Amino acid sequence: MANIDTLPINITRANKSNLSQVDLSNIPFGRVFTDHMLVADYKDGEWVSASIKPFGRLDMHPAMSALHYGQSIFEGLKAYKNQKGEPVLFRPYDNFERFNKSAERMCMATVPESIWMDGLMKLIEIDQAWIPTSQGSSLYIRPFMFATDEYVGIKPADNFRFVIFCSPVGAYYPEPISVKIEETFVRAAQGGIGAAKAAGNYGASLYPNKLAVEEGYRQLIWTDAKEHKYIEESGTMNVFFVINNEIITPSVERDTILKGITRKSVIQLSKDIGYLISERAVTVQEVVDAARNGNLQDAFGAGTAATIAHISAIGFRNERFELAPVSERTISNNILNKLDSIRLGKEADPYGWVVKV
Ligand code: COI
């Protein structure tokens, strides 16, 4: 049996880098991958192997349980280069912690820090030349884990594979997004898996989102499963509104909303800038009323991939409310600038969010 504290991470380097074929100043989101990935395997109660190897395909058994029953979780975090050109990660320990919480909720093995964090650091060190530095770009990192039991019965799996790959990215939403308040479909119900970063949450959102796109919207704003009275989150992000100079965002006490790391950062920065910000139940009614009477000063999503995504319009039933131009949104623009400056080392990080590789 391998001891997880001493399990070595074997490293096999790619013979040749693909970096020269990529224009890092002009990259789409999520379609370009770096030279290496980390792969670790858990078998019958133990992490048995961990390696960094050339990026490539993973083979799978047709009965692999993740494909059938959805024991599959992921994270998203980003690496940047600071002003000295050194690679840094933004709040990686928060992702590590949330990942293992998702694992517990999905009845999966947890991943030890010696694999998750040490493997991540080593991977970024090896592929650091792939971190783009143009405005709005970063290296998006995708840790994920899935059940690998070769068994058709349904039970918590005994075998898992943990993988981290990286992708240099530009903006997730190159333009401000229009969102529709959803009152028929739900993302998560209380007691469900809304707080876990489980693959199924995203798969289930595709159909309602497709209908919203057909109606001319880019994304949805999810409401609570019981009454569709409260705002939960938006598409792949947490959501914030500014009404009468107060920033409001749904509280995450209930287990239906993902506890976003960008969300936490936005709340902290808002408080420290001196904005009035409240985490509380946010009703559809108050947002729609504010939009209708011109008091909705700002609305934005916050997530790792998107960072801050300005909302250009909100749809509710048969009404569509256009919001102020992004250039006039002082609050979200200030928060975004502050976040960027800290991540890129342009200003001091009093929070310990930025971790050097
Ligand atoms: C992220 O922000 O990292 C996400 O999980 C969104 C993803 C679906 C691209």
Side-chain angles (χ1 to χ4, degrees):
M1 257 195 305
N3 177 341
I4 54 167
D5 292 326
T6 56
L7 187 65
I9 298 179
N10 296 312
I11 299 175
T12 310
R13 294 208 180 231
N15 292 331
K16 189 178 153 292
S17 173
N18 288 321
L19 185 53
S20 61
Q21 294 162 30
V22 177
D23 175 7
L24 282 189
S25 61
N26 180 23
I27 24 175
F29 187 94
R31 297 197 185 276
V32 176
F33 305 96
T34 66
D35 293 323
H36 298 90
M37 62 183 183
L38 175 120
V39 180
D41 282 312
Y42 180 94
K43 290 198 190 314
D44 302 323
E46 288 292 334
W47 286 96
V48 294
S49 65
S51 58
I52 290 177
K53 51 184 172 185
F55 182 84
R57 292 180 186 279
L58 300 168
D59 73 336
M60 66 184 85
H61 191 279
M64 189 178 83
S65 46
L67 294 177
H68 300 266
Y69 307 122
Q71 269 186 294
S72 181
I73 58 171
F74 70 97
E75 271 302 323
L77 69 158
K78 282 177 170 172
Y80 302 86
K81 283 211 172 133
N82 66 16
Q83 297 304 290
K84 292 186 195 146
E86 299 161 329
V88 296
L89 294 162
F90 187 71
R91 308 193 74 168
Y93 290 95
D94 295 67
N95 293 93
F96 167 58
E97 230 175 77
R98 189 173 64 182
F99 185 87
N100 278 337
K101 284 202 181 116
S102 298
E104 275 164 21
R105 177 62 182 85
M106 296 301 289
C107 240
M108 300 171 84
T110 53
V111 183
E113 190 170 334
S114 58
I115 295 177
W116 210 104
M117 283 305 308
D118 298 356
L120 169 64
M121 292 286 180
K122 194 73 211 163
L123 182 64
I124 301 305
E125 189 192 320
I126 292 174
D127 277 347
Q128 60 179 282
W130 285 84
I131 302 174
T133 52
S134 57
Q135 169 72 23
S137 66
S138 59
L139 187 71
Y140 184 79
I141 302 162
R142 173 50 63 86
F144 64 108
M145 180 166 66
F146 51 95
T148 53
D149 280 17
E150 298 168 4
Y151 174 57
V152 180
I154 172 92
K155 69 171 191 60
D158 297 313
N159 303 284
F160 299 95
R161 177 161 275 188
F162 171 64
V163 182
I164 309 180
F165 66 70
C166 308
S167 170
V169 296
Y172 189 70
Y173 294 118
E175 300 294 334
I177 55 169
S178 55
V179 294
K180 178 196 147 189
I181 297 177
E182 176 60 55
E183 294 185 289
T184 304
F185 298 97
V186 295
R187 175 184 174 275
Q190 278 195 283
I193 58 166
K197 214 157 163 63
N201 284 334
Y202 295 78
S205 74
L206 297 175
Y207 180 70
N209 200 75
K210 179 179 117 158
L211 299 183
V213 168
E214 283 167 11
E215 284 180 56
Y217 295 96
R218 179 75 170 82
Q219 272 291 351
L220 293 172
I221 288 189
W222 298 107
T223 55
D224 71 283
K226 216 166 164 186
E227 302 174 275
H228 299 296
K229 195 171 154 192
Y230 299 99
I231 304 270
E232 300 239 300
E233 55 180 271
S234 171
T236 59
M237 304 172 291
N238 296 112
V239 66
F240 293 76
F241 302 95
V242 182
I243 301 174
N244 297 329
N245 290 326
E246 181 190 14
I247 310 174
I248 53 173
T249 190
S251 60
V252 289
E253 280 152 22
R254 300 190 318 162
D255 54 8
T256 51
I257 300 178
L258 191 80
K259 292 188 172 66
I261 295 161
T262 310
R263 174 187 181 279
K264 276 203 291 195
S265 310
V266 166
I267 292 169
Q268 182 72 55
L269 291 175
S270 299
K271 286 181 182 162
D272 293 352
I273 293 172
Y275 292 140
L276 180 61
I277 179 156
S278 313
E279 295 177 70
R280 60 166 172 83
V282 174
T283 63
V284 171
Q285 194 63 53
E286 68 183 308
V287 171
V288 169
D289 284 349
R292 211 176 264 142
N293 60 30
N295 286 339
L296 184 58
Q297 295 156 261
D298 202 341
F300 57 96
T304 298
T307 311
I308 301 286
H310 295 286
I311 292 175
S312 54
I314 297 182
F316 179 62
R317 299 185 185 161
N318 52 7
E319 287 178 281
R320 181 177 169 122
F321 306 102
E322 301 295 331
L323 273 56
V326 168
S327 56
E328 292 172 15
R329 315 258 189 112
T330 334
I331 291 184
S332 55
N333 286 328
N334 278 350
I335 296 169
L336 177 58
N337 288 340
K338 187 99 182 153
L339 196 54
D340 271 346
S341 298
I342 291 175
R343 291 189 302 197
L344 300 172
K346 288 183 183 164
E347 69 177 85
D349 165 25
Y351 311 106
W353 290 343
V354 177
V355 176
K356 267 199 207 169
V357 172

